[in-house]
């Protein structure tokens, strides 16, 4: 079975780590023993979160073991391992995988004191997982090749033949496939198919990932490309004068997906796991994500970096969806195969 299909088919304590005060699912304060070991399955790259893991170890004195890998593969591994999984925390790169684990009954209830730090749009309605950072789909464009006033306000505007030979996409990339899933959920399969066929007819150049698309944009090889917002923001941190800009559409084309965390129902170290979730949502960690990974911080009170449209403004423009429902990647893959894109 394909690596991405399986998972989606299933539909600061003290440095010594002694007693800590934590909150249960009903927000009652109870005294709990903070374990000194934590196992994380992380779909987030070590380059993105490795420094934060070290900071957490220093603050708690705990030993953290991290298994890094592809988000869908790790979620699939958790399902295969069942309650014998050594994982305490799943750190997913997208909400679909978190939703799949929730629907399989493998996630634990998070305290309301934690989930309420994040807007309801970016967490499980049932409190089973919580978003840590926001990742917005954008249409990035080379400002020497494309005028801002040319760009349509809808993602469907890019099916216009005038864009033929001027764009790029990465159909095998996970974030692109999550977007297509969201397109299916909000617009229906037939409308999603129409968009895919329309873009395909415009002869887009194919790249393996978001990074390669943005790099091609900086070189002027293409006019525009479908990516996540932060790849350009990271490049601009070192080279602010690159002639590339983010374009936000006024519909699902600027989907706000999340990277988020869940504690497994079989966690052997549930108290330190909860403390880790709390750590990721505190001001220092959220500012780290804003400045170092150029993502949108999701905990209230922390602002994003750079000249980015606010999440509230973006969120007003799409059809609000439960991000947990982005778990149906299997049918997205079938659609991409039907249209002969992958």
């Amino acid at each position: 079975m394909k690596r991405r299909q399986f998972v989606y088919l299933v539909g600061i304590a003290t440095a010594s780590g002694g007693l800590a005060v934590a909150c249960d699912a009903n927000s009652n304060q109870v005294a709990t023993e903070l374990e000194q070991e934590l196992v994380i399955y992380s779909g987030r790259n070590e380059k993105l979160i490795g420094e934060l893991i070290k900071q957490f170890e220093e603050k708690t004195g705990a030993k953290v073991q991290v298994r890094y890998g592809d988000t869908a593969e790790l979620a699939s591994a958790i399902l295969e391992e069942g309650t014998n999984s050594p994982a305490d925390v799943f750190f997913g790169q997208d909400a679909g995988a978190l939703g799949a684990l929730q629907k399989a009954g493998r996630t634990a209830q998070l305290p309301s004191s934690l989930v309420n730090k994040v807007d309801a749009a970016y967490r499980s309605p049932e409190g089973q997982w919580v978003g840590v950072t926001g990742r917005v789909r954008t249409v990035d464009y080379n400002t020497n090749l494309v005028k801002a006033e040319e760009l349509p306000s809808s993602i469907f505007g890019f099916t216009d033949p005038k864009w033929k030979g001027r764009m790029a996409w990465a159909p095998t990339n996970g974030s692109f496939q999550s977007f297509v899933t969201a397109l299916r959920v909000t617009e229906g399969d037939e409308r999603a198919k129409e968009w895919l066929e329309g873009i395909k007819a415009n002869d887009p150049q194919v790249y393996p990932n978001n990074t390669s698309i943005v790099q091609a944009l900086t070189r002027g090889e293409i006019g525009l490309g479908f990516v996540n917002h932060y790849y350009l923001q990271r490049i601009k941190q070192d080279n602010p004068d690159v002639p590339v800009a983010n374009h936000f559409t006024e519909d699902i084309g600027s989907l706000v997906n999340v990277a988020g965390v869940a504690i497994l129902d079989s966690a052997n170290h549930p108290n330190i796991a909860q403390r880790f979730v709390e750590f990721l949502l505190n001001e220092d960690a959220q500012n780290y994500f804003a400045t170092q990974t150029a993502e949108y911080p999701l905990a209230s009170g922390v602002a994003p970096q750079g000249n980015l449209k606010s999440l509230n403004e973006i969120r007003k423009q799409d059809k609000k969806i439960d991000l947990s429902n982005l778990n149906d990647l299997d049918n997205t893959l079938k659609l991409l195969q039907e249209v002969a894109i992958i």
Side-chain angles (χ1 to χ4, degrees), residues 185-242:
V185 169
T186 58
E187 301 290 340
D189 285 356
E190 285 304 312
R191 186 75 165 134
K193 182 179 180 181
E194 288 176 13
W195 184 82
L196 290 168
E197 290 176 335
I199 299 299
K200 182 182 177 183
N202 277 338
D203 194 26
Q205 293 191 44
V206 178
Y207 289 84
N209 51 44
N210 292 307
T211 299
S212 57
I213 291 177
V214 177
Q215 289 173 341
L217 282 167
T218 65
R219 295 190 296 265
E221 295 174 5
I222 50 175
L224 59 87
F226 306 110
V227 296
N228 282 347
H229 81 278
Y230 50 85
Y231 290 92
L232 174 58
Q233 301 303 316
R234 293 172 188 170
I235 288 176
K236 282 182 173 286
Q237 288 175 348
D238 296 323
N239 190 358
D241 296 325
V242 294

Side-chain angles (χ1 to χ4, degrees), residues 115-317:
V115 296
N116 287 342
K117 291 183 177 183
V118 174
D119 186 280
Y122 312 118
R123 52 181 165 91
S124 160
E126 296 77 24
Q128 298 286 302
W129 59 265
V130 64
V132 175
T133 59
R135 305 156 62 240
V136 184
R137 293 296 292 176
T138 56
V139 184
D140 287 5
Y141 64 102
N142 183 294
T143 56
N144 293 329
L145 301 175
V146 177
K147 297 178 180 179
E149 54 267 29
E150 289 185 80
L151 296 165
S153 60
S154 170
I155 196 68
F156 290 93
F158 293 97
T159 62
D160 189 308
K162 77 175 187 178
W163 297 109
K164 189 168 185 177
R166 303 173 68 186
M167 63 178 69
W169 63 1
T172 61
N173 181 260
S175 62
F176 176 84
Q177 293 174 1
S178 291
F179 157 68
V180 175
T181 303
L183 192 64
R184 291 178 46 240
V185 169
T186 58
E187 301 290 340
D189 285 356
E190 285 304 312
R191 186 75 165 134
K193 182 179 180 181
E194 288 176 13
W195 184 82
L196 290 168
E197 290 176 335
I199 299 299
K200 182 182 177 183
N202 277 338
D203 194 26
Q205 293 191 44
V206 178
Y207 289 84
N209 51 44
N210 292 307
T211 299
S212 57
I213 291 177
V214 177
Q215 289 173 341
L217 282 167
T218 65
R219 295 190 296 265
E221 295 174 5
I222 50 175
L224 59 87
F226 306 110
V227 296
N228 282 347
H229 81 278
Y230 50 85
Y231 290 92
L232 174 58
Q233 301 303 316
R234 293 172 188 170
I235 288 176
K236 282 182 173 286
Q237 288 175 348
D238 296 323
N239 190 358
D241 296 325
V242 294
V244 183
N246 293 132
H247 172 63
F248 296 84
T249 67
E250 296 178 6
D251 57 8
I252 198 64
S254 282
L255 168 71
V256 183
N257 205 336
V258 302
V261 288
I263 298 175
L264 298 187
D265 64 330
S266 57
N268 294 314
H269 313 102
N271 302 321
I272 192 80
Q274 182 174 308
R275 189 53 54 87
F276 181 67
V277 177
E278 178 185 347
F279 170 79
L280 291 176
L281 295 176
N282 72 25
E283 185 175 354
D284 289 343
Q286 290 287 288
N287 277 318
Y288 175 90
F289 285 117
T291 59
Q292 301 302 311
T293 71
E295 296 168 279
Y296 281 89
L298 291 183
S300 59
V302 183
Q305 299 291 304
N307 186 25
L308 292 173
K309 184 177 288 190
S310 73
L311 284 180
N312 286 337
E313 188 176 1
I314 296 169
R315 194 65 187 172
K316 287 177 184 176
Q317 298 166 341

